[in-house]
């Protein structure tokens, strides 16, 4: 996720910007840059790579000035490169912008600006903003930004500087975080508190739809419509480590809570204005090529593989194309039957997993078209695939994957709908129903997160055991696999996920008095069968925690504890039912005193086969 820093005061801004960007490094980034107003006008330095690369550029020719903006970029639109790094400027080089978020309508705005004679030098959505502000400027930067923002759709935070008003910094927040730091004769902007904590502990937290104009002597807060706002300063008494985690105890918990935003961002402009149709401009397949697909192979590792299991059900249900999901380390060696009519979908948060990359190359060697679902623009997987659907979850720092997994589910729902639209395999009313259901998910996840304490109590009970089971049927089984993996990797408790109907073929022998069983029963058509399987484990003394859809009172009669997820379409339940399981793993790990974010023996990116 991009990091923004801005400074206006009396000190040398370059040093403060670089220092602030270093404090935001934990957010993940692939390039960095600063713009400073100097005696030679607005000067920009930026480069792909770590901050050290930028620092060495600045070391050769420092930028001297007391107002500036800085940025660490985590690529969304366009690969990591010097040109795509922020800050971006307009053609006159009088306006400079740093941006975090996504401008959904940037293509139409860019076309309009090109028609007016603007020339673009990057692939980014951000560059559109600097040109747009320049084209709307009539002597007042605040008004120009307001006009520009009224034309922009999406979620974003901005820092804006113009040579015409070299004592003023403008900041905007719309769904992407931004804070204002208030000092003595100096003021700051930052996408997160750690960026400015060394200089001041007094901050204004901007709300959505608010903006600020900063000079060295003061800060004016206002709505995007220009109505002034008065607000109490917030005094930060966190230490820097807590501040990096936005007040959460661990990155994993922070990332679990970021899921509503990750869902919204991943859906973003991929649903059209009616909200009923999927638009996937990034998928270059023609309708003929889509009609020619005879089979889909989904290939991935670990959690991403589990997302692929849900993806299989989604594509088969919506597009009626046969799908196989494979673990990447097995795929290559089982001589899979891959033909030019096979679409291979590789799923990888990092885009660098060696086994997944090897599977991608094997698929291409056999002539298949490869679609990547990845969270990292410019990653190896993204570069080598034919088409890429980026999950806009933002960088995931905890080793245990949470928001990346659920964003992968959203990508599968969107792609499944896209195929169905093209192939006409389900009626339009159902497509509209699924699309509407998708848009309701973020709020429903929020309501689950609000019940974290209930899950914490269950987790504390579970944490005293050494073995447990997750059971479910159909999509519930796919989610059970993910819940079990999450628990294993961070709590070190042994667990197995079983297709509920399969237990009696051997594993039921392991069920003994008091063993915890997490039973998922969210699928209407499989509910009664799952209840029968629950009764089988209950009869042998298991202590059962049941997860079911709201409004369904039956499960409570057969299990020891229940947790209800908000009602949604059965196809969409994985995007909700996994959330209590993530929290369960988190709190069980915590109860056992483990290092939640860095579990033993594991790495975030597995680049060896
Ligand atoms: C588990 C986890 C791993 C990854 C797997 C694939 O929480 O994070 O199982 O899902 O190593 O990684 P990516 O998605 O980066 O290819």
């Amino acid at each position: 996720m991009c990091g923004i820093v801005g400074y206006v005061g009396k000190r040398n801004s370059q040093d403060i910007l670089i220092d602030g960007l270093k404090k935001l490094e934990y957010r993940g980034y692939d390039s960095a840059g600063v713009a400073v107003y100097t005696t030679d006008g607005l000067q920009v330095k930026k480069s792909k790579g770590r901050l050290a690369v930028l620092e060495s550029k600045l070391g050769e020719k420092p930028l001297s000035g007391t107002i500036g903006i800085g940025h660490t970029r985590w690529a969304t639109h366009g690969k990591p490169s010097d040109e795509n790094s922020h800050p971006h400027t307009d053609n006159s080089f009088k306006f400079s912008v740093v941006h975090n978020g996504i401008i959904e309508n940037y293509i139409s705005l860019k076309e309009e600006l090109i028609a007016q004679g603007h020339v673009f030098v990057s692939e980014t959505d951000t560059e559109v903003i600097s040109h747009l502000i320049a084209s709307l400027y009539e002597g007042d930067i605040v008004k120009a930004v307001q006009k520009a923002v009224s034309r922009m759709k999406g979620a974003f935070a901005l820092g804006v500087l113009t040579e015409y008003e070299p004592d003023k910094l403008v900041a905007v927040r719309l769904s992407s975080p931004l804070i204002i730091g208030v000092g003595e004769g100096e003021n700051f902007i930052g996408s997160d508190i750690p960026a400015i904590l060394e200089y001041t502990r007094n901050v204004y937290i901007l709300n959505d739809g608010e903006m600020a104009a900063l000079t060295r002597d003061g800060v004016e807060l206002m709505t995007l419509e220009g109505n002034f706002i008065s607000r109490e300063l917030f005094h930060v008494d966190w230490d820097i480590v807590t501040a990096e985690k936005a007040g959460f105890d661990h990155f994993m918990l922070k990332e679990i809570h970021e899921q509503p935003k990750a869902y919204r961002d991943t859906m973003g402009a991929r649903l059209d204005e009616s909200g009923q149709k999927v638009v996937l401009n990034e998928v270059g397949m023609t309708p003929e090529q889509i009609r020619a697909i005879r089979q889909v192979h989904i290939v991935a590792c670990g959690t991403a593989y589990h997302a692929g299991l849900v993806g299989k059900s989604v594509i088969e249900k919506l597009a009626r194309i046969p799908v196989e999901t494979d673990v990447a380390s097995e795929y290559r060696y089982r001589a899979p039957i891959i033909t030019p009519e096979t679409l291979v979908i590789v799923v990888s948060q990092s885009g660098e997993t060696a086994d997944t990359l090897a599977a991608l190359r094997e698929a291409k060697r056999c002539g298949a078209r490869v679609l990547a679902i990845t969270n990292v623009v410019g990653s190896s997987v993204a570069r080598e695939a034919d088409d890429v659907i980026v999950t806009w979850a933002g960088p995931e720092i905890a080793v245990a994957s949470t928001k990346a997994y659920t964003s992968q589910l959203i990508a599968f729902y969107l792609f499944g709908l896209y195929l169905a639209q093209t192939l006409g395999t389900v009626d339009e009313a159902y497509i509209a129903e699924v699309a509407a259901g998708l848009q309701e998910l973020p709020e429903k996840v929020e309501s689950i997160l609000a019940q974290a304490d209930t899950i914490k109590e269950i987790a504390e009970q579970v944490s005293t055991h050494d073995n447990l089971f997750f059971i479910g049927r159909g999509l519930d089984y796919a989610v059970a696999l993910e819940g079990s993996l999450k628990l294993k990797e961070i709590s070190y408790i042994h667990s197995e996920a079983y297709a509920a109907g399969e237990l009696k073929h051997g594993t039921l022998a392991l069920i003994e008095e008091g063993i915890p069983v997490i039973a998922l029963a969210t699928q209407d058509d499989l509910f009664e069968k799952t209840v029968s399987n629950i009764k089988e484990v209950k009869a042998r003394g298991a202590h059962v925690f049941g997860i079911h859809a709201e409004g369904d009172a039956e499960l409570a009669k057969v299990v020891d504890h229940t947790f209800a997820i908000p009602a949604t379409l059965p196809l969409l339940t994985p995007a909700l039912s996994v959330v209590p399981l993530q929290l369960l793993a988190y709190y069980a790990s915590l109860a056992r005193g483990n290092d939640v974010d860095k579990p033993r023996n594991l790495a975030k990116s597995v680049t060896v086969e």
Side-chain angles (χ1 to χ4, degrees):
M1 220 180 304
C2 306
I4 292 178
V5 184
Y7 176 76
V8 51
K10 295 180 191 127
R11 297 195 244 185
N12 185 1
S13 61
Q14 175 186 301
D15 299 341
I16 290 169
L17 297 176
I18 294 292
D19 195 55
L21 293 178
K22 281 187 184 158
K23 301 284 176 1
L24 296 178
E25 276 190 300
Y26 70 91
R27 295 162 69 93
Y29 69 103
D30 46 53
S31 44
V34 292
V36 173
Y37 177 71
T38 71
T39 44
D40 297 327
L42 206 52
Q43 300 279 315
V44 176
K45 287 261 169 74
K46 51 192 193 174
S47 60
K48 178 184 162 186
R50 311 301 295 169
L51 268 169
V53 182
L54 176 67
E55 276 186 284
S56 82
K57 263 194 190 174
L58 289 166
E60 288 158 20
K61 215 171 163 223
L63 302 179
S64 173
T66 56
I67 180 166
I69 48 180
H71 190 262
T72 43
R73 174 172 188 252
W74 195 74
T76 57
H77 293 67
K79 59 188 176 299
S81 69
D82 286 3
E83 297 72 33
N84 289 336
S85 309
H86 302 205
H88 286 282
T89 57
D90 68 312
N91 292 141
S92 70
F93 225 78
K94 302 285 186 208
F95 296 85
S96 184
V97 172
V98 286
H99 164 219
N100 174 10
I102 293 157
I103 308 301
E104 292 170 3
N105 60 336
Y106 84 101
I107 294 178
S108 59
L109 290 172
K110 190 168 177 174
E111 282 164 0
E112 190 182 313
L113 289 158
I114 288 173
Q116 287 170 23
H118 292 256
V119 177
F120 286 80
V121 294
S122 80
E123 301 161 273
T124 64
D125 50 345
T126 309
E127 196 186 353
V128 167
I129 309 170
S130 45
H131 288 265
L132 188 60
I133 293 172
S135 75
L136 296 168
Y137 186 72
E138 289 173 326
D140 184 337
I141 187 62
V142 171
K143 289 213 169 79
V145 171
Q146 283 164 349
K147 278 192 219 154
V149 166
S150 73
R151 304 275 330 270
M152 287 155 41
K153 288 199 186 121
F156 45 82
L158 304 176
V160 182
L161 188 60
T162 176
E163 196 175 305
Y164 293 124
E165 295 171 59
D167 57 344
K168 198 176 277 175
L169 203 59
V170 180
V172 176
R173 173 184 171 150
L174 200 76
S175 295
S176 289
L178 201 68
I179 56 109
I180 312 292
V182 179
E184 295 280 326
E186 57 185 359
N187 292 304
F188 308 79
I189 65 173
S191 41
D192 218 342
I193 289 171
I196 52 111
L197 208 51
E198 195 177 321
Y199 306 101
T200 178
R201 288 185 167 268
N202 292 326
V203 301
Y204 290 121
I205 312 239
L206 286 186
N207 293 325
D208 279 345
E210 292 179 353
M211 62 184 294
L214 292 77
T215 60
R216 71 166 64 152
D217 300 318
V219 175
E220 282 179 339
L221 301 180
M222 61 198 99
T223 64
L224 295 180
E225 293 74 37
N227 302 318
F228 289 102
I229 303 166
S230 75
R231 173 158 309 149
E232 295 279 303
L233 274 174
F234 172 66
H235 183 78
V236 182
D237 47 19
W238 303 334
D239 60 25
I240 189 94
V241 178
T242 312
E244 282 180 355
K245 293 172 191 145
F248 289 100
D249 290 339
H250 296 94
F251 282 112
M252 183 182 176
L253 190 59
K254 173 173 179 268
E255 287 159 8
I256 290 173
H257 279 81
E258 281 170 350
Q259 290 179 115
K261 175 164 166 34
Y263 286 31
R264 288 189 185 104
D265 287 352
T266 302
M267 278 181 252
R270 289 164 174 159
L271 287 169
D272 76 354
E273 305 236 314
S274 71
Q276 297 186 352
K277 193 169 172 242
V278 175
V279 187
L280 282 182
N281 291 329
E282 57 270 71
V283 175
M285 276 180 271
T286 62
E288 291 68 40
Q289 284 169 321
I290 290 177
R291 278 192 280 275
I293 300 170
R294 289 289 158 267
Q295 58 170 352
V296 175
H297 290 176
I298 302 175
V299 191
C301 302
T303 285
Y305 165 73
H306 294 154
L309 292 174
V310 176
K312 170 182 161 71
S313 297
V314 170
I315 293 175
E316 287 187 342
K317 177 159 177 81
L318 294 173
R320 308 304 301 152
I321 303 173
V323 183
E324 286 176 41
T325 302
D326 268 87
V327 167
S329 55
E330 292 291 320
Y331 184 68
R332 225 161 30 120
Y333 304 106
R334 72 164 175 86
I337 300 167
I338 308 172
T339 68
E341 288 79 39
T342 310
L343 172 68
V344 175
I345 305 180
V346 293
V347 190
S348 175
Q349 185 283 127
S350 62
E352 301 298 345
T353 301
D355 286 317
T356 309
L357 197 54
L360 179 159
R361 289 177 181 154
E362 175 65 8
K364 291 207 79 168
R365 196 185 61 77
C366 296
R369 189 173 181 111
V370 177
L371 167 76
I373 296 179
T374 182
N375 199 34
V376 182
V377 175
S379 59
S380 304
V381 160
R383 286 197 311 271
E384 295 190 29
D386 299 294
D387 306 288
V388 184
I389 300 180
V390 177
T391 49
W392 283 322
E396 201 177 51
I397 292 165
V399 165
S401 184
T402 52
K403 61 177 182 170
Y405 167 80
T406 43
S407 305
Q408 287 158 0
L409 300 188
I410 301 295
F412 272 118
Y413 291 128
L414 293 169
F415 186 61
L417 289 174
Y418 184 70
L419 292 177
Q421 274 168 204
T422 314
L423 298 171
T425 35
V426 289
D427 60 39
E428 281 179 14
Y430 185 64
I431 292 182
E433 201 184 344
V434 177
L438 274 177
Q439 290 163 84
E440 288 166 7
L441 289 176
E443 224 170 287
K444 293 183 176 175
V445 172
E446 272 153 17
S447 79
I448 296 173
L449 294 174
Q451 300 172 67
D453 284 348
T454 311
I455 302 292
K456 190 173 177 205
E457 279 169 30
I458 298 173
E460 280 162 3
Q461 292 177 40
V462 161
S463 71
T464 60
H465 291 260
D466 291 326
N467 290 294
L468 67 119
F469 284 88
F470 289 80
I471 60 170
R473 284 172 173 256
L475 283 168
D476 284 337
Y477 172 46
V479 175
L481 284 163
E482 174 56 9
S484 171
L485 176 64
K486 218 77 314 169
L487 187 74
K488 278 185 273 229
E489 67 175 322
I490 57 169
S491 75
Y492 318 148
I493 298 171
H494 172 250
S495 72
E496 284 199 42
Y498 247 78
E502 184 65 11
L503 276 177
K504 55 186 169 297
H505 298 288
T507 309
L508 200 56
L510 291 175
I511 301 295
E512 54 187 9
E513 196 60 38
I515 193 164
V517 173
I518 315 289
L520 289 103
T522 69
Q523 302 295 302
D524 295 346
D525 54 343
L526 297 168
F527 185 78
E528 278 161 19
K529 297 263 181 236
T530 309
V531 166
S532 304
N533 303 135
I534 292 172
K535 285 184 178 160
E536 287 161 12
V537 295
K538 273 297 301 166
R540 282 147 186 97
H543 195 84
V544 182
F545 299 90
I547 296 182
H548 65 101
E550 210 167 50
D552 161 10
E554 286 308 298
L555 197 65
K557 296 181 188 155
V558 284
V559 303
D560 299 286
H561 303 272
T562 53
F563 185 87
I565 57 163
T568 184
L569 291 172
L571 191 66
L572 301 180
T573 53
L576 298 179
S577 58
V578 75
V579 179
L581 303 188
Q582 296 167 339
L583 289 166
L584 182 83
Y586 172 77
Y587 286 118
S589 173
L590 206 62
R592 288 195 152 208
N594 296 347
D595 186 345
V596 176
D597 285 335
K598 291 198 184 95
R600 67 186 182 201
N601 307 340
L602 299 176
K604 183 67 186 161
S605 184
V606 186
T607 51
V608 288
E609 283 192 44

